[in-house]
Amino acid sequence: MKLKSIALAACLLIATSSLLAAPEDDPAAGVKRASELASLMQLGEQMKTSVGEKTNQMLGKAMMLLGVPYKRGGSTSETGFDCSGFVRHIYETSIGRLLPRRAEEQATVTDKIDRSELNPGDLVFFNTMRRTFSHVGIYLGDGKFIHAPSVGKAVRVDDLRTAYWTKRFTGARRVQETQTPETANR
């Protein structure tokens, strides 16, 4: 368990190193990047202590993909991701749960929850293309989510509380636990 926590912290450090890698044209930009790095490190610490082992592993895998370019229809780290391809990839490779390919289909097969009930690993949906559930991301905690935003951008962490995402938020969903013999008897 301790090794996995160390691995998650290392992944967060590697993934966020790009925040400090850009040349310093503007001293304020350096301060902003340092602040963003500190915020992501703090979020990583919160994730480690507030979620279960499977969710911790899933979010760690998601954070390792920070910076992977957006690609419409993409579903691998080699080719790039679109939003639903990213979510599908993370759930499939980390916990073995295969979700549908499209964001609106992912919303259909998951359980609706109130925004106040969000836990790390839950899905957050947005209307970014004049239709409900046209964009999806994975909630990390502390108002933050990870997603593949759009053409010309890369997998990144954003804040649900910013005006852009607040205006477009269309719902939160929880992925049902896959049924195993152990869970079927509960």
Side-chain angles (χ1 to χ4, degrees), residues 46-60:
Q46 290 171 354
M47 284 170 27
K48 287 190 300 188
T49 58
S50 68
V51 299
E53 183 69 24
K54 281 185 178 183
T55 302
N56 191 13
Q57 290 174 358
M58 179 181 68
L59 298 178

Side-chain angles (χ1 to χ4, degrees), residues 37-178:
L37 175 61
S39 178
L40 284 174
M41 292 303 297
Q42 183 180 19
L43 181 59
E45 286 300 316
Q46 290 171 354
M47 284 170 27
K48 287 190 300 188
T49 58
S50 68
V51 299
E53 183 69 24
K54 281 185 178 183
T55 302
N56 191 13
Q57 290 174 358
M58 179 181 68
L59 298 178
K61 282 189 176 204
M63 295 298 280
M64 288 175 50
L65 297 173
L66 284 169
V68 172
Y70 179 92
K71 180 175 186 204
R72 183 174 167 83
S75 59
T76 69
S77 57
E78 293 81 26
T79 62
F81 294 106
D82 64 9
C83 66
S84 58
F86 173 71
V87 168
R88 184 176 198 217
H89 173 82
I90 293 301
Y91 268 89
E92 183 178 10
T93 60
S94 61
I95 61 173
R97 179 76 159 103
L98 187 60
L99 294 174
R101 181 63 184 88
R102 300 182 64 211
E104 60 261 10
E105 294 168 341
Q106 291 175 356
T108 302
V109 301
T110 51
D111 294 331
K112 183 178 181 179
I113 59 171
D114 189 79
R115 186 174 179 159
S116 65
E117 298 174 61
L118 276 169
N119 289 324
D122 289 339
L123 302 182
V124 287
F125 291 89
F126 305 90
N127 177 347
T128 58
M129 301 172 76
R130 296 190 179 149
R131 66 178 196 275
T132 305
F133 307 128
S134 57
H135 187 72
V136 62
I138 301 172
Y139 186 70
L140 296 172
D142 193 32
K144 307 277 194 291
F145 69 104
I146 188 168
H147 64 127
S150 61
V151 175
K153 298 182 181 167
V155 172
R156 69 181 190 202
V157 173
D158 275 322
D159 195 313
L160 284 170
R161 299 164 291 201
T162 61
Y164 180 88
W165 294 112
T166 297
K167 180 179 177 182
R168 289 164 176 81
F169 183 80
T170 56
R173 300 285 191 270
R174 184 159 294 146
V175 177
Q176 305 93 340
E177 186 176 328
T178 54

